[in-house]
Amino acid sequence: MKTTITTLQKMKQDGQKIVMLTCYDASFATLMDEAGVDILLVGDSLGNVIQGQTSTLPVTMDQMVYHTQCVARGNREALVLADLPFAAYQQSPQQAYENAARLMAAGAEMVKIEGGMVMVETVAFLAARGIPVCAHIGLQPQSVNVYGGFKIQGKTQHEAEVLKRDALALQQAGAAMVLMEMIPADLAKTVTESLSVPTIGIGAGVDVDGQVLVVYDMLGVFPGKKARFVKNFMHGVSSIQGAFESYVHEVRAATFPAAEHSY
């Protein structure tokens, strides 16, 4: 059965965990879909893991359109979510709409944008025009130069209050889902309980509505230092398909992420 926004909303209401992975091509899309992954995220993380960039900032709209087309061709039932890359939506809601429309035409069924209160108007503009939005708060990789690196967000009382305010404002603006990256697990739980839309975590503990990882990280094939929230799901299995199935099982059972993967 095709996964839709309605499906994801019901999963939250029923307490069933949502499973998401990044995906950049048709072959992996088919394997993930067959393993039961609910959402395929065509992430601008392709800048890091495919292009070898040090950040997501160089990724272009043309590249995102191309990879979204590839993923859509390989997928059958999962929901395809695509990132709007850096400088493709920050200028104005109209700019965001034009580029989001390109991703939807390429096969995306939802788009993801980074930012809190500053993106409320844009989220409302897109949602009112039939484009579902996943809001991305907490650590925002496109703002890595502002943060001075990839650092945990929401650690202080002030930061936590800002994040909670942002999440509610984005939901009220029409966001269909909220993704939280690298924030304390207890804060992610509080935000999740305050929202009626599903939440997805990456480095945000187990008490969110779903989880996402970068596929190369969870397969253990991306070189370099691994983030605390990453687990290699190739351990103990004999195939990539087995790794995807193991990830789906552990997310559904809420055994991943464990305490050692959380902040």
Side-chain angles (χ1 to χ4, degrees), residues 10 19 45 70 97 100 134 141 145 151 166 195 221 244-245 261:
K10 188 173 189 306
V19 184
S45 50
C70 293
Y97 176 78
C134 173
N145 292 321
K151 300 177 180 179
D166 288 352
L195 298 181
V221 298
F244 292 158
E245 291 170 356
H261 306 116

Side-chain angles (χ1 to χ4, degrees), residues 44 83-87 89-90 111-124 126 133-144 146-147 153 162-181 195:
D44 58 2
D83 275 335
L84 277 168
F86 179 69
Y89 60 96
Q90 291 95 337
V111 300
K112 182 164 72 64
I113 63 175
E114 298 181 12
M117 289 294 291
V118 69
M119 284 295 128
V120 164
E121 182 184 357
T122 296
V123 169
L126 295 179
V133 179
C134 173
H136 183 150
I137 57 177
L139 177 71
Q140 298 160 38
Q142 293 176 10
S143 299
V144 65
V146 175
Y147 301 136
Q153 303 297 304
V162 169
L163 193 142
K164 288 187 282 187
R165 178 204 67 187
D166 288 352
L168 284 169
L170 289 161
Q171 174 180 268
Q172 290 166 359
M177 190 160 61
V178 175
L179 187 149
M180 297 179 283
E181 181 169 357
L195 298 181

Side-chain angles (χ1 to χ4, degrees), residues 217-239:
D217 287 343
M218 59 86 68
L219 293 177
V221 298
F222 184 63
K225 183 181 178 181
K226 299 296 186 293
R228 176 172 177 167
F229 54 78
V230 172
K231 176 179 177 179
N232 186 347
F233 282 86
M234 284 299 294
H235 289 157
V237 300
S238 59
S239 67

Side-chain angles (χ1 to χ4, degrees), residues 51-79:
Q51 299 175 347
Q53 308 281 6
T54 58
S55 75
T56 63
L57 301 183
V59 177
T60 67
M61 265 306 301
D62 286 346
Q63 290 165 352
M64 290 305 305
V65 167
Y66 168 76
H67 285 278
T68 299
Q69 290 170 333
C70 293
V71 170
R73 290 188 196 109
N75 176 58
R76 292 183 61 189
E77 296 187 354
L79 184 142

